[in-house]
Amino acid sequence: MPYKTIAASKIEIAQLMLPSNTNFGGKIHGGYILELMDQIAFACASKHSGSYCVTASVDQVNFLMPIEVGELVTMKASVNYVGHSSMVVGIRVEAENIRTGLIKHCNSSYFTMVAVNDSGKTQEVPGLIIRNKKEAKRFIESLKRREYEQKKQADLKSINRDINSQIELLKSHRVQVAFQ
């Protein structure tokens, strides 16, 4: 399987935010932004892998700043990590007030995408050629996020195995335990 540079699959899109994309508060709906992010993650991962890709997970979406109607939203995506058939696509979302030129960082997130063949089975993806320390840092950060996620899943499974030993934790929170 060949190796590809990160630059070979980088994608950037820009879209003007319209009134039809607003929530009840008059800001651009977060679900709409997530839809755009999923599209660019798909395009980036497909470009890297040369195959159809599906979204396996989305790692922590924090909406840092609201996006206004009339702002130009730019999304930048790159493959930060590759496994056997999976890729982590990092996405940065910025909104620009086109009248003032002010640009604000609104969101960053990581989409895990999986390459699949025509039968829906996972397929191997090209490796990454890492050309600088920034790309190396992003790959290592992806490794660390995967480790943290695996640890979190193990911790949650341990709660399910022995919930009785965990009930004591509830006493320091705003809950009332109404069972024995």
Side-chain angles (χ1 to χ4, degrees):
M1 179 63 52
Y3 285 74
K4 290 185 175 181
T5 65
I6 291 170
S9 61
K10 277 189 177 180
I11 294 185
E12 186 172 318
I13 62 169
Q15 187 157 340
L16 186 64
M17 295 295 105
L18 304 174
S20 60
N21 306 126
T22 58
N23 59 24
F24 293 113
K27 308 296 183 194
I28 300 303
H29 197 286
Y32 178 67
I33 298 300
L34 283 171
E35 179 182 357
L36 293 176
M37 292 172 75
D38 191 52
Q39 289 173 14
I40 194 171
F42 167 81
C44 183
S46 294
K47 190 174 178 182
H48 179 79
S49 66
S51 64
Y52 184 77
C53 294
V54 294
T55 306
S57 68
V58 180
D59 183 23
Q60 194 163 346
V61 179
N62 292 323
F63 294 98
L64 306 173
M65 301 287 287
I67 300 173
E68 308 289 339
V69 171
E71 289 184 325
L72 184 65
V73 167
T74 302
M75 295 187 182
K76 301 171 186 176
S78 64
V79 174
N80 291 350
Y81 166 89
V82 295
H84 177 73
S85 61
S86 66
M87 297 153 280
V88 174
V89 176
I91 303 170
R92 180 178 174 93
V93 179
E94 297 175 337
E96 178 181 0
N97 181 315
I98 55 179
R99 291 179 292 151
T100 66
L102 178 69
I103 297 174
K104 59 188 176 185
H105 176 211
C106 298
N107 185 322
S108 289
S109 191
Y110 305 94
F111 280 58
T112 300
M113 308 298 290
V114 176
V116 295
N117 63 22
D118 292 339
S119 303
K121 303 288 184 202
T122 61
Q123 75 178 43
E124 189 175 2
V125 299
L128 280 181
I129 299 170
I130 295 178
R131 291 197 162 157
N132 56 52
K133 288 182 181 179
K134 184 177 185 180
E135 291 176 352
K137 177 181 93 56
R138 288 179 176 170
F139 192 96
I140 293 165
E141 286 173 346
S142 293
L143 287 174
K144 292 296 183 184
R145 277 192 300 278
R146 289 174 69 88
E147 288 174 14
Y148 295 147
E149 182 62 27
Q150 289 169 349
K151 182 184 179 327
K152 181 178 84 174
Q153 291 302 321
D155 288 347
L156 293 175
K157 282 183 183 179
S158 74
I159 292 169
N160 289 333
R161 283 192 298 270
D162 189 17
I163 185 64
N164 292 330
S165 68
Q166 304 291 323
I167 297 292
E168 208 51 39
L169 290 172
L170 298 176
K171 290 183 178 177
S172 62
H173 294 277
R174 292 182 41 91
V175 297
Q176 188 175 45
V177 178
F179 67 90
Q180 294 291 330

